[in-house]
Amino acid sequence: MANQKKLILNISESDIIGGASRAAYRIHKCLFNYQSYLNYDSRLLVKNKYSNDESVYTPRKSISREFFNFNNRFRRKIFSLRYNKQAKKKHLSTAWPDSDLYKNFKKDYNLKPYLLNIHWIASSTFSIEQIAKIDCKFILTLHDQWSFSGAEHYSYSKGNNPSYRNGYKTNMPNFLTRFTNINRFTWLRKQKNWKSNFTLVCPSNWMANCANESLIFKNSKTFVIPYPINPEEWQDINKEKARQALSLDKEKIYLLFGAMPTIEPRKGEDLLVKTLHKLKEIAPIKYLKKIELISFGVLNPLFKNNLPFKVTNFGNIQDNSKLNLLYSASNIFLLPSRVDNLPNTGLESQASGTPVLGFNCTGLKDVVEDNVTGLLASPYSYESMARNIISCLQKNRLLEMSENAKKRANRIWHPSVIANQYKDLFDEINNYF
């Protein structure tokens, strides 16, 4: 590479579709844009490319590769039929069979990376078994809990002893777990193949603590580096102008949330519904006359029909400039997740000058500085969340939080800050390997 910069190859399932993929792309662009300072060059390798970014690579197509991919998809589909009933609306991944994504990259582009930053292992990026055979230095960036869990991407275990701490213990013989317990079977594959300690990057302190408490990564080296958010892309647009551009009423109080096509327990949409009903019950009349909801994403009809306030849905938004307008036009962004890492929406909202309200749990404690850039309700009290909405709407409170949110986003999530943290990480890896 030019100027003898060491190549950092980020690997993800996609570049701009999906929360983890968008985060991986932002990390890559952060490194790419500051490469002259870092002395490291960055590229992003994906299975599915949707952008026109020339720094994002995907293997070249051929008939033999298409057949290989089809064969893998078929085998994975047949295998998945065994555990669909175990999923119970959860997202499960087994990271099998092997993928030729990285091998084809080296063949197509004749590049030898200095280090891989692996953002995703399943979805035909790598298999569990392939990770142990990588021929260069690598780090894992944990966008969810999958790497140290079984097949689940987030643990829903009740109490203080999630299953990734005990290896999904069962009385069933291990050879039978392939058919009866997909989490135990997938976890055993990781235990068998991942013998050496890994270097981990965790976007939130909560994720780092979870990884350190797991059996898989308890001896691994862990770094906490949050996602970058570009202030040139996410700006505090004048609220009146933003509302005019979106044909919204300048006199209303708008509560914004991100919608999902299905009500997934992890994202807490059921808690959001309860919060809004409680809000309608306890809010002063002066607020009730003005409160309306706006959302982005796919709005589930059952969810929409159960909302106590008028809602305007803007659908899936791929244009960040329009999403920036939506944040800026809103008074409050509601983030009711039960379990989350460092959701991009929370960062985007604050960079746009809109306070965030969520629960005082998991990675949301890294997203929101309580009573400064938003408010964190008692987990998982919708009554507490409703009271926080009313508290936020008090005179001058929103303005103060808005200013604090912008300053904090620029201070801790600016790409130059994150790039410097990655430089320190890469330098340390260079020294101890």
Side-chain angles (χ1 to χ4, degrees):
M1 302 298 294
N3 301 324
Q4 302 299 312
K5 293 185 180 69
K6 295 177 179 178
L7 175 61
I8 308 299
L9 182 64
N10 297 275
I11 301 179
S12 183
E13 191 272 335
S14 170
D15 46 0
I16 57 175
I17 303 296
S21 293
R22 290 174 64 215
Y25 179 72
R26 288 178 181 179
I27 292 169
H28 154 63
K29 292 302 290 185
C30 167
L31 300 176
F32 183 81
N33 291 335
Y34 286 91
Q35 60 180 289
S36 59
Y37 160 71
L38 296 174
N39 205 32
Y40 293 97
D41 197 5
S42 178
R43 294 292 184 269
L44 175 62
L45 171 64
V46 298
K47 187 185 78 168
N48 298 310
K49 180 178 177 179
Y50 298 99
S51 73
N52 295 319
D53 192 327
E54 292 184 356
S55 66
V56 178
Y57 294 165
T58 190
R60 297 182 177 125
K61 295 185 181 298
S62 70
I63 294 176
S64 61
R65 291 180 182 179
E66 289 298 319
F67 178 77
F68 176 84
N69 291 334
F70 172 81
N71 186 43
N72 274 4
R73 287 195 301 271
F74 178 76
R75 288 194 290 166
R76 190 162 57 247
K77 182 66 175 177
I78 294 298
F79 183 72
S80 70
L81 293 175
R82 297 176 179 175
Y83 60 84
N84 278 344
K85 289 185 179 180
Q86 296 181 40
K88 296 179 181 178
K89 297 183 180 180
K90 286 186 182 180
H91 181 201
L92 300 181
S93 299
T94 58
W96 177 90
D98 290 352
S99 164
D100 279 346
L101 182 69
Y102 177 47
K103 183 182 78 173
N104 290 337
F105 163 81
K106 292 190 293 183
K107 181 178 180 180
D108 291 344
Y109 300 101
N110 194 29
L111 293 173
K112 175 65 176 175
Y114 162 72
L115 181 142
L116 304 184
N117 185 358
I118 301 172
H119 297 269
W120 208 252
I121 296 175
S123 302
S124 298
T125 53
F126 286 102
S127 71
I128 291 171
E129 290 73 17
Q130 282 179 306
I131 293 294
K133 303 172 185 176
I134 293 176
D135 60 357
C136 72
K137 304 173 186 177
F138 71 89
I139 59 178
L140 294 184
T141 294
L142 306 187
H143 298 284
D144 58 25
Q145 296 178 302
W146 183 87
S147 292
F148 53 82
S149 298
E152 60 186 356
H153 286 257
Y154 280 96
S155 174
Y156 290 76
S157 300
K158 294 182 179 180
N160 297 316
N161 191 29
S163 297
Y164 58 76
R165 290 184 183 175
N166 60 33
Y168 297 82
K169 281 186 178 178
T170 175
N171 294 325
M172 186 73 65
N174 286 342
F175 74 92
L176 290 178
T177 59
R178 176 191 297 266
F179 306 97
T180 60
N181 190 327
I182 193 61
N183 276 312
R184 172 70 175 171
F185 174 63
T186 306
W187 186 90
L188 286 170
R189 288 171 55 218
K190 295 172 187 177
Q191 183 191 49
K192 176 183 177 181
N193 289 279
W194 297 356
K195 296 297 185 182
S196 60
N197 298 330
F198 288 0
T199 300
L200 310 175
V201 172
C202 298
S204 68
N205 285 285
W206 167 75
M207 184 62 73
N209 290 335
C210 292
N212 292 336
E213 292 170 353
S214 71
L215 286 179
I216 295 290
F217 290 143
K218 63 181 180 180
N219 295 318
S220 292
K221 199 172 183 67
T222 306
F223 298 82
V224 178
I225 304 179
Y227 300 141
I229 192 80
N230 191 342
E232 295 180 3
E233 188 174 11
W234 303 95
Q235 302 178 10
D236 180 16
I237 303 168
N238 177 273
K239 198 169 295 296
E240 187 172 333
K241 290 182 178 178
R243 292 186 176 190
Q244 185 177 6
L246 295 168
S247 300
L248 295 172
D249 190 331
K250 65 179 182 179
E251 301 297 331
K252 294 291 185 181
I253 296 172
Y254 286 111
L255 309 180
L256 174 67
F257 63 93
M260 297 185 66
T262 58
I263 299 178
E264 181 187 356
R266 183 176 73 84
K267 288 296 186 179
E269 286 196 341
D270 59 319
L271 296 175
L272 177 59
V273 171
K274 292 178 180 179
T275 295
L276 295 172
H277 277 281
K278 189 65 178 180
L279 177 64
K280 189 170 185 178
E281 178 186 323
I282 66 175
I285 295 295
K286 63 178 180 179
Y287 294 148
L288 285 177
K289 291 180 178 180
K290 293 183 177 182
I291 291 176
E292 289 190 10
L293 309 175
I294 50 179
S295 65
F296 57 88
V298 180
L299 197 60
N300 187 305
L302 294 176
F303 174 72
K304 178 181 179 180
N305 294 335
N306 200 22
L307 293 173
F309 298 100
K310 177 185 175 183
V311 58
T312 301
N313 178 249
F314 285 82
N316 279 327
I317 301 176
Q318 301 301 328
D319 180 1
N320 284 344
S321 61
K322 184 175 181 180
L323 192 52
N324 187 194
L325 278 173
L326 207 55
Y327 287 121
S328 298
S330 307
N331 298 98
I332 297 170
F333 180 64
L334 301 176
L335 190 55
S337 298
R338 287 181 168 88
V339 182
D340 229 326
N341 187 1
L342 195 77
N344 288 303
T345 53
L347 277 60
E348 294 164 358
S349 179
Q350 290 175 87
S352 303
T354 301
V356 175
L357 269 62
F359 293 111
N360 190 18
C361 64
T362 63
L364 296 181
K365 292 188 284 188
D366 280 18
V367 173
V368 179
E369 187 175 355
D370 193 23
N371 284 304
V372 179
T373 69
L375 291 173
L376 294 174
S378 301
Y380 298 95
S381 170
Y382 59 88
E383 294 97 338
S384 176
M385 176 83 87
R387 289 193 297 270
N388 280 352
I389 294 173
I390 296 172
S391 177
C392 255
L393 295 176
Q394 293 175 4
K395 189 176 181 179
N396 297 326
R397 193 90 190 268
L398 280 178
L399 182 60
E400 181 182 353
M401 286 186 173
S402 173
E403 290 300 316
N404 292 337
K406 289 184 293 184
K407 290 177 182 177
R408 182 170 182 261
N410 197 54
R411 184 177 72 253
I412 67 175
W413 300 321
H414 192 284
S416 64
V417 174
I418 305 305
N420 191 62
Q421 293 180 42
Y422 270 100
K423 181 181 186 302
D424 290 343
L425 168 61
F426 298 152
D427 289 345
E428 183 168 340
I429 290 174
N430 191 41
N431 291 333
Y432 69 68
F433 270 98

